[in-house]
Amino acid sequence: MSDAPYLNSLNPEQKAAVLQTTGPVMIIAGAGSGKTRVLTYRIAHLIATGVDAFNILSLTFTNKAAKEMRQRIESVVGTEARNIWMGTFHSVFAKILRIEAEKIGYPSNFTIYDSDDSKSLIKSIVKEMNLDDKVYKPNYILSRISNAKNNLIQAHVYLKQSELVTYDETTGRGKIHEIYSEYAKRCFKAGAMDFDDLLLNTFKLLNNFPDVLHKYQHKFKYVMVDEYQDTNHCQYMIVKKLASVFENICVVGDDAQSIYSFRGATIKNILNFEKDYPDLNVFKLEQNYRSSDTIVSAANSVIAKNKDQLQKNVWTDNQLGNKIRVIRAVTDNEEGRLIAQNIFETKMTEQKMNSDFAILYRTNSQSRSLEEALRKLNISYRIYGGMSFYQRKEIKDIIAYLRIVLNQNDEQALKRIINYPARGIGKTSMDRVTVLAAQDDKSPWEIIANAHLYAELKNAIPKFRNFVNMVQSFIVMNQTCNAYDIAMHVARSTQLLKILNEDKTIEGISKYENVVELLNGIKEFVEDDTNEVEKTLSNYLQDIALLTDADKQDDHADNVSLMTIHQSKGLEYKNVFVAGLEENLFPSQMSLGSRSDLEEERRLFYVAITRAEEDLTLSFATSRFRFGSLLPCEPSRFIDEIDNNYLQLERKSITRPKQTIGNISKPSSSVPNLRKTIAKQNPRTANRPPALENFEAEAMDDIQVNMRVEHQRFGKGMVTKLEGEASSMKATIIFEEFGEKTLVLKFAKLRKL
DNA sequence: TACTAAGCTCTTTTT
DNA sequence: GAGCTTAGTA
C-alpha cells in the first residue's frame, strides 16, 4: 500500500510523528526541524483518515500561525479544515467563555481588558486605598496578580498562601492581596476579563461545571498544542482536563526555545510531560533544514552552556556557509548605519530582496536608530510590535466608545471617554462617582445613570444626563446597525473626527489618518463575506481584542523585517542581524540575578541566531543612547560564548574598549519645545542656564563628534564638560556659556525636522 | 475646569 | 524618549 502523497515529503522521524495519531504524543522539535510541517500534516492526516474536523482542537502561538496552518491543511483535505478549532489559547478560550459566560456570572459580551486597562485599574485602586504608588507600582502588582492567576491562585486563596503574603510583606508590599481582591471584584463588576482571566475562568468553568467539562472533553477528541514549552500552569491544567477522556494529546515544543517565563510559562510542563503520561510516545526531530552548518553548530555551542534541558542533538546536512560576522559600532546610530549599509550592499552583490533580511533586537525601543538608518538608504522596512495600532490613544478613544455601547459597566472605557471630548465632567466629579460606586457596590455607570439620587453629584447632573442620553442613543442605534455604521456615527456625533481633523500639526494629521484607517478597517470587516460571522459591533470588538501585531496581514510588500526576538519565534530569514548585543541589554540587566533567568536569555539568543538560514551578523555598540542619555556599553557575554571557530572576527577585536564616554544628559523636555521655551522665561527656572537660541538642526546633521567626558553633574546644576571628537550620533551639539566658563552641551534629536 | 510648560520617573520580553 | 504629575495661568 502506498502512502498518501503528503507523507512522501517527510523524513522518517517526521513521518512517524505524523502517523502516531492516537494516545499521548510529545514531539521534541529542534530549531528548523520542520515542526509546523509535521503538525500540519498530522492534522491533515487525522482528517484524511476519517476524523471529524469538529473534534480537533489545535492551540497555536499566534492567530496568524493558526490561519496559515488552516490554509495548508485545507490545501490537503479541502474545506473541511475550516471546522477545526484552531487559534491561540486566549482566542479559543475566549470563544468558549462567550458561549458559557453566564455560568460563571459574566455577560456573554464581556469586555477584554488589555494590559493598559489592567494597569490603570490597579493604579486607581492603589490610589483609592491610599497606598504609596512608588511602592505599589502597577507593573509590579499586575505581574504578581498575573503570576497568581497563571498558577490558579484566586484572590481568596492568595490571602491564605502564607508564602505569598509573607513574601509581599518582606518586600514591603503586604497589601497586595487586598489589591488583588479589589481588582478581581472590579473586573467582575465591569463585566471584564483580563488576559489571564481568559485562562483562569476557562479553568474554573471546566473545573466547577462537570457538564461543561463533559461537553468539551467529548467535543475535542484530538488535542494538539504547539510551542508547548511556553505554556503556563493554568494552560497545562486546562489541556490536561480537556484531554483526560481520550488522551489523544499531542504536544510539540523545544525546551531550548522556552522564552516566556515572564508570563508564567514553565519549562517544567515539557520536562515533566512524560510523568503525566507513562505510555507516552516521544518523537525527536533533530535534523535542521533551515540553517547553514556554521549557524547550527554555533547555536549548539551556545545552548550547551545551559543546564536545564532535554537531551537532543540538532544537526544539519546543509552547507558549511559563511562565518558569523560581528560588527562593532561606536554608537547605536552607527550600528544602524552599518547594518543598513550592509543590507544595501548585500542586496546588490547577492541579488537579494528586502524580505530576505530581518533585524532582531531585545527591546522594542531599539528599533528607532535602525529605522532611521534604513530610511536614509531608502530601504523599505516593516516594524512588528512596539506601539501597536490598537494601543494608540486616538484608536483607544474610539474603541472605548464602542466598548461602552456594548458594555456600560466597562469602567476603564468609561473613565477614558467620560470627559473626552471635554464636557465639563472633571476629576472632582469622577472621584465622587468612584467613592459612591464603592459604597453602593455599583459600577460607575450605574451611579452616573442615576446621578439624581446622589446629592453630592447635583452640580454635574445635567452633564451626566447628556452623556448617558448620548450613550443610550448609541445603544439603540446599535440594535439595528452593523459595526461600521455605528462606529461612523459615534466618531461623528462625538465630534472626535472633527477635533482631530482640525488639528493640523503633524501628530494631529497622523491621528486623524489613524482613525480613518480604523474606520476603514471596520468597513472591511463588515464587507468581508468570506465568513459567516455576523457583522455586529460585538463581533468586531471580539475580533480585535486579541489581535497582535504578529497576526497582521502580510502586505506582500518587499520589506526588511524589524522585530524583537520574542516576535521572531517560528520565523526564518536568509540574512539575520541581531542588534544590540551588549551586556545589560542582551542579556537584559533584569535577568542577571539568577541562573535560570540568565539561561532564559541564552535561550533567547539561541532563538535569535537560529532564525538565520544563510548569513548571521551580530552587532553591538560601545555606547548607546538610552533613556535620554548616552550610556557606555560592553559587548554581550553571548558573543564570547560562541565557539571562536564560527566567528569571522577575532576575539581580540571585540574585547572591551576603555570607556571614555559617560552620561550626557539633556535638560528634560527642553528639546521639542525649545523654540517656544525661548519666548518666555519661567521665573521658577530662571536660575538655570538660559535657553538656547534658535538653531538649525538640519544643517548640523552630518557633524561627526566623538567625545570624552571629563566632568559632569546632572539635575538642576547641569554642569557638563565635554570635549573631543565627534561621534556619528544624529545629534545637534550646541555650545553655550553659562556662569564661569562652564560648557554646556546639549543634544537635540532631529526626528521632528 | 481646561490648558500648558516644566519636571520627574521609568525604562524587557507579550496574550 | 515617553508618559505622567505638578504648578501655574486662563
Side-chain angles (χ1 to χ4, degrees):
Chain A
M1 183 184 118
S2 73
D3 286 334
Y6 56 83
L7 292 176
N8 293 332
S9 62
L10 302 170
N11 73 25
E13 289 78 33
Q14 293 174 328
K15 195 166 152 186
V18 166
L19 294 178
Q20 182 65 52
T21 52
T22 55
V25 171
M26 174 161 76
I27 304 174
I28 305 293
S33 62
K35 177 190 68 162
T36 312
R37 224 184 150 76
V38 168
L39 212 44
T40 307
Y41 286 137
R42 196 169 186 278
I43 297 173
H45 188 65
L46 278 172
I47 296 175
T49 52
V51 172
D52 193 333
F54 280 107
N55 296 134
I56 300 175
L57 169 65
S58 171
L59 297 165
T60 56
F61 203 68
T62 62
N63 289 304
K64 189 180 165 199
K67 204 169 162 186
E68 282 172 9
M69 203 182 289
R70 196 191 297 274
Q71 279 164 0
R72 284 167 71 170
I73 296 169
E74 198 172 325
S75 72
V76 179
V77 299
T79 52
E80 171 81 357
R82 292 185 191 176
N83 298 327
I84 305 168
W85 275 52
M86 198 180 264
T88 60
F89 276 91
H90 290 85
S91 66
V92 167
F93 294 168
K95 194 168 159 186
I96 293 176
L97 285 168
R98 300 249 176 235
I99 300 170
E100 316 287 346
E102 281 120 58
K103 295 213 167 55
I104 52 169
Y106 268 95
S108 75
N109 63 353
F110 61 85
T111 301
I112 296 174
Y113 274 177
D114 66 15
S115 27
D116 286 343
D117 295 318
S118 301
K119 272 181 235 166
S120 116
L121 176 54
I122 288 171
K123 217 168 156 182
S124 36
I125 292 171
V126 167
K127 209 167 174 184
E128 288 158 30
M129 288 172 69
N130 281 318
L131 297 171
D132 183 353
D133 61 359
K134 300 268 178 340
V135 178
Y136 291 91
K137 292 178 191 166
N139 265 326
Y140 181 80
I141 310 286
L142 182 59
S143 84
R144 290 290 289 171
I145 295 178
S146 171
N147 256 316
K149 286 182 179 172
N150 288 331
N151 286 300
L152 301 175
I153 298 167
Q154 296 179 54
H156 63 273
V157 182
Y158 194 106
L159 180 63
K160 291 178 205 142
Q161 299 267 314
S162 57
E163 293 162 36
L164 293 172
V165 177
T166 321
Y167 177 81
D168 287 341
E169 277 163 2
T170 54
T171 61
R173 301 184 179 90
K175 300 261 184 201
I176 286 186
H177 67 271
E178 281 178 46
I179 303 175
Y180 184 7
S181 299
E182 178 65 15
Y183 174 77
K185 197 172 116 196
R186 290 275 271 277
C187 286
F188 184 73
K189 217 188 301 169
M193 298 190 197
D194 67 15
F195 289 135
D196 303 309
D197 287 334
L198 294 175
L199 309 179
L200 181 62
N201 286 330
T202 302
F203 175 79
K204 281 203 238 172
L205 191 67
L206 300 177
N207 198 47
N208 302 346
F209 298 88
D211 54 321
V212 178
L213 177 63
H214 186 267
K215 173 173 159 192
Y216 290 99
Q217 274 174 336
H218 286 81
K219 173 169 173 52
F220 300 130
K221 294 194 173 101
Y222 295 85
V223 178
M224 254 157 280
V225 187
D226 193 7
E227 307 282 9
Y228 190 68
Q229 75 282 358
D230 285 324
T231 52
N232 61 39
H233 180 67
C234 181
Q235 291 167 324
Y236 160 81
M237 289 300 287
I238 295 171
V239 168
K240 198 171 167 189
K241 272 190 178 300
L242 284 176
S244 64
V245 172
F246 295 98
E247 292 210 339
N248 292 324
I249 175 167
C250 169
V251 303
V252 187
D254 178 8
D255 58 299
Q257 298 186 62
S258 164
I259 54 175
Y260 278 96
S261 71
F262 67 90
R263 68 180 213 215
T266 158
I267 199 163
K268 270 195 264 168
N269 287 349
I270 195 160
L271 298 178
N272 294 343
F273 195 70
E274 208 153 4
K275 288 183 193 148
D276 288 328
Y277 301 95
D279 54 340
L280 177 67
N281 283 291
V282 181
F283 299 92
K284 284 190 183 175
L285 309 179
E286 298 180 308
Q287 182 176 1
N288 175 305
Y289 293 95
R290 180 190 293 151
S291 311
S292 72
D293 196 0
T294 298
I295 292 169
V296 171
S297 309
N300 283 341
S301 76
V302 167
I303 202 70
K305 307 258 185 317
N306 274 2
K307 283 190 188 143
D308 290 340
Q309 54 182 327
L310 294 171
Q311 215 47 54
K312 71 178 151 330
N313 171 38
V314 178
W315 60 279
T316 186
D317 252 355
N318 295 343
Q319 295 197 333
L320 193 58
N322 295 329
K323 287 195 169 181
I324 297 166
R325 200 169 21 185
V326 179
I327 295 182
R328 171 185 159 171
V330 177
T331 63
D332 48 351
N333 286 340
E334 190 191 19
E335 177 186 45
R337 222 183 50 228
L338 293 172
I339 290 176
Q341 248 166 31
N342 219 298
I343 292 177
F344 188 85
E345 282 157 18
T346 313
K347 265 173 66 180
M348 292 300 168
T349 54
E350 296 179 23
Q351 302 282 308
K352 286 198 161 131
M353 313 262 288
N354 286 334
S355 56
D356 291 328
F357 298 87
I359 311 176
L360 310 180
Y361 36 79
R362 181 66 178 81
T363 70
N364 281 303
S365 58
Q366 286 168 255
S367 68
R368 193 191 45 83
S369 53
L370 299 165
E371 262 181 276
E372 285 176 11
L374 291 168
R375 219 176 307 146
K376 268 204 175 154
L377 293 186
N378 276 323
I379 301 171
S380 60
Y381 60 88
R382 193 184 142 195
I383 296 207
Y384 295 78
M387 170 80 114
S388 91
F389 183 73
Y390 294 105
Q391 284 172 294
R392 289 168 203 272
K393 179 187 177 300
E394 61 275 20
I395 302 302
K396 293 200 86 171
D397 289 337
I398 302 262
I399 302 280
Y401 272 98
L402 302 179
R403 271 162 58 173
I404 282 292
V405 172
L406 292 181
N407 173 10
Q408 297 81 49
N409 292 328
D410 183 339
E411 179 183 339
Q412 295 306 309
L414 180 77
K415 286 194 170 154
R416 189 170 189 102
I417 59 169
I418 184 91
N419 200 32
Y420 180 78
R423 25 178 97 82
I425 303 175
K427 199 173 157 299
T428 326
S429 307
M430 282 313 286
D431 282 348
R432 285 181 191 146
V433 169
T434 308
V435 171
L436 290 168
Q439 266 173 26
D440 291 12
D441 202 27
K442 295 213 161 95
S443 73
W445 168 265
E446 290 169 307
I447 302 294
I448 67 168
N450 296 296
H452 55 279
L453 301 178
Y454 302 95
E456 303 92 310
L457 300 177
K458 70 171 184 302
N459 293 333
I461 288 176
K463 295 165 187 167
F464 280 143
R465 189 175 298 140
N466 285 340
F467 178 79
V468 170
N469 286 344
M470 177 187 72
V471 172
Q472 269 159 353
S473 76
F474 295 159
I475 297 171
V476 171
M477 183 175 172
N478 187 44
Q479 284 160 359
T480 54
C481 283
N482 66 34
Y484 177 68
D485 294 333
I486 183 75
M488 200 63 195
H489 177 71
V490 166
R492 286 218 180 101
S493 63
T494 55
Q495 311 276 305
L496 283 179
L497 265 185
K498 193 164 156 247
I499 292 166
L500 291 176
N501 196 22
E502 281 164 0
D503 181 354
K504 294 299 179 198
T505 61
I506 302 166
E507 295 87 22
I509 292 169
S510 127
K511 283 181 183 175
Y512 180 75
E513 284 169 355
N514 284 336
V515 170
V516 170
E517 192 186 330
L518 175 75
L519 292 168
N520 284 338
I522 304 180
K523 196 171 183 186
E524 269 170 42
F525 166 80
V526 170
E527 287 168 357
D528 175 15
D529 48 16
T530 61
N531 57 41
E532 297 103 65
V533 177
E534 232 193 315
K535 309 304 177 192
T536 58
L537 184 59
S538 164
N539 285 334
Y540 173 74
L541 286 185
Q542 280 174 46
D543 236 35
I544 62 163
L546 294 169
L547 272 193
T548 68
D549 251 36
D551 298 326
K552 251 194 227 153
Q553 211 113 49
D554 281 326
D555 39 16
H556 298 295
D558 181 33
N559 288 324
V560 173
S561 297
L562 273 67
M563 67 186 85
T564 63
I565 301 164
H566 282 90
Q567 298 217 0
S568 75
K569 168 134 47 141
L571 304 175
E572 55 192 19
Y573 298 88
K574 288 204 172 74
N575 289 38
V576 168
F577 294 80
V578 187
L581 275 166
E582 290 130 37
E583 206 61 15
N584 293 333
L585 179 61
F586 190 17
S588 156
Q589 103 195 76
M590 318 197 64
S591 40
L592 296 179
S594 71
R595 180 181 65 89
S596 63
D597 284 352
L598 186 62
E599 291 203 346
E600 177 152 329
E601 293 284 311
R602 191 175 285 117
R603 290 194 291 269
L604 197 55
F605 185 58
Y606 176 82
V607 168
I609 59 186
T610 53
R611 298 309 97 196
E613 296 171 346
E614 297 171 7
D615 280 309
L616 175 63
T617 307
L618 311 176
S619 71
F620 67 96
T622 53
S623 61
R624 177 174 295 272
F625 213 79
R626 276 173 92 191
F627 320 134
S629 42
L630 193 66
L631 301 173
C633 310
E634 295 191 338
S636 166
R637 68 187 70 191
F638 293 150
I639 300 180
D640 287 336
E641 288 181 0
I642 295 181
D643 188 315
N644 237 358
N645 290 327
Y646 309 120
L647 291 181
Q648 200 179 60
L649 202 79
E650 286 152 44
R651 188 179 289 264
K652 62 174 189 246
S653 51
I654 58 163
T655 49
R656 322 203 144 145
K658 255 257 178 294
Q659 268 310 325
T660 53
I661 299 182
N663 289 0
I664 298 164
S665 180
K666 67 181 174 55
S668 102
S669 71
S670 65
V671 176
N673 300 314
L674 204 51
R675 288 196 180 81
K676 281 188 239 162
T677 317
I678 297 162
K680 57 179 174 183
Q681 272 289 328
N682 188 316
R684 282 194 303 147
T685 58
N687 60 352
R688 291 214 326 222
L692 299 157
E693 271 309 307
N694 210 350
F695 64 98
E696 282 301 320
E698 266 167 323
M700 301 181 77
D701 190 7
D702 291 322
I703 276 195
Q704 307 247 319
V705 195
N706 283 318
M707 51 192 71
R708 197 155 53 83
V709 179
E710 285 199 342
H711 172 72
Q712 60 183 3
R713 233 177 43 190
F714 299 123
K716 290 172 190 114
M718 238 220 28
V719 185
T720 308
K721 189 179 173 200
L722 300 163
E723 57 177 58
E725 317 137 66
S727 84
S728 61
M729 290 180 52
K730 207 165 85 174
T732 305
I733 298 159
I734 301 127
F735 292 84
E736 181 199 344
E737 288 259 321
F738 175 68
E740 297 175 359
K741 292 183 196 166
T742 306
L743 285 179
V744 178
L745 267 92
K746 295 182 182 177
F747 287 97
K749 293 262 160 179
L750 302 185
R751 252 171 90 184
K752 300 209 164 128
L753 290 174

